[in-house]
Amino acid sequence: MRDAMNKNNKKLNNKKTKFINRRAFTLVEVIVAMGIFVLIMAGSSGAFAMAFKSYRSAKNVNENLKNAQYAMNLMSKTFRTSTVRYSTASDLIVYDYSQGTTNPGYCMRYRFISNELRKSSANTTLAGCIVGASFSTALPMTTGVVTGAFDVVSSVGNAATHESTTVGKVTVMMNISNGTGSNLTSARIQSTSSLRDYTISNVGIDFTNNPAN
C-alpha cells in the first residue's frame, strides 16, 4: 500500500515539475508579436482603403458618364434641326428650327466652361441669334469634371442649282474625369450629328416650304 502511494506521489511531483519547467512567452516576445500584427493590419487596411477609393472613383465616373451621354443625346437631337450661328472650340450657338420657321425659334448656346458643359437659350429670330443675344442663365448639363470641344463643319449649298455641296455637321467631344494623380479615373465620349440646315439650299428637310434665306 505504501509503495503504491509513493508511486502516486512521484507521478504528481513529476507533473508539477513539468508544469513549472514549461516555458511561457516573455514580455519581449509578446511586444514583438503585437508589433508584427499591427504592421500586418496596417498594411491590409491601407490596401483595402485604396481599393475602396478606386471603386468609389470608378463608380462616380460611371454616373457622370451617364449624365454626359444623356446631354450628348439631347444636343444631337437639337443639332439635327438647327443651323450653326457661331462656333469656337468651347462655345457653340445654334438656331433651332424645331419650334417652327415662321415664328422666332430658339437660339441655343452650349459652352464648356469651369469643367462643365452649360446650356442657355434666347427666344429670338435667326438674325438675332448671335453672341450678344439675351441668353438665359447658363445651367450645367453635366456632373463631375467635364472638359470638351466642338468641331463644326458648316453647310454649303448652291442657291442657283439647289444642290448641296457640303452637309454641315457638329462633332462634340467630352472627357469625364474623377480624382487626381494615381487615383485619376476618366472616360471619353464623342458624337457627330449631321445638320438639316434650313438656311442652305437643298440641305433642309423641305426646300419647297423652307427655301434658302
Side-chain angles (χ1 to χ4, degrees), residues 72 76 149 151 171-176 188-192:
M72 184 93 70
S76 295
D151 184 25
T171 300
V172 184
M173 296 157 283
M174 290 193 208
N175 188 70
I176 303 95
R188 180 171 295 181
I189 56 176
Q190 178 175 313
S191 176
T192 299

Side-chain angles (χ1 to χ4, degrees), residues 33-46:
M34 290 181 63
I36 294 173
F37 176 76
V38 169
L39 290 175
I40 293 173
M41 290 302 297
S44 300
S45 300

Side-chain angles (χ1 to χ4, degrees), residues 23-35:
R23 187 172 180 272
F25 291 108
T26 65
L27 179 60
V28 175
E29 290 175 332
V30 172
I31 293 174
V32 171
M34 290 181 63

Side-chain angles (χ1 to χ4, degrees), residues 1-17:
M1 183 73 177
R2 184 174 295 176
D3 292 338
M5 291 180 63
N6 290 332
K7 287 182 179 179
N8 289 333
N9 288 334
K10 286 181 179 179
K11 289 180 179 180
L12 289 173
N13 290 332
N14 290 335
K15 288 182 178 180
K16 288 180 180 180
T17 302

Side-chain angles (χ1 to χ4, degrees), residues 53-69 143-146 175-179 183-189:
K53 190 174 183 179
S54 298
Y55 165 76
R56 186 172 57 182
S57 179
K59 184 178 179 181
N60 290 339
V61 166
N62 188 51
E63 290 299 318
N64 296 336
L65 178 60
K66 290 180 181 178
N67 293 333
Q69 289 174 330
T143 57
V145 178
V146 176
N175 188 70
I176 303 95
S177 60
N178 187 78
N183 296 318
L184 178 65
T185 305
S186 62
R188 180 171 295 181
I189 56 176

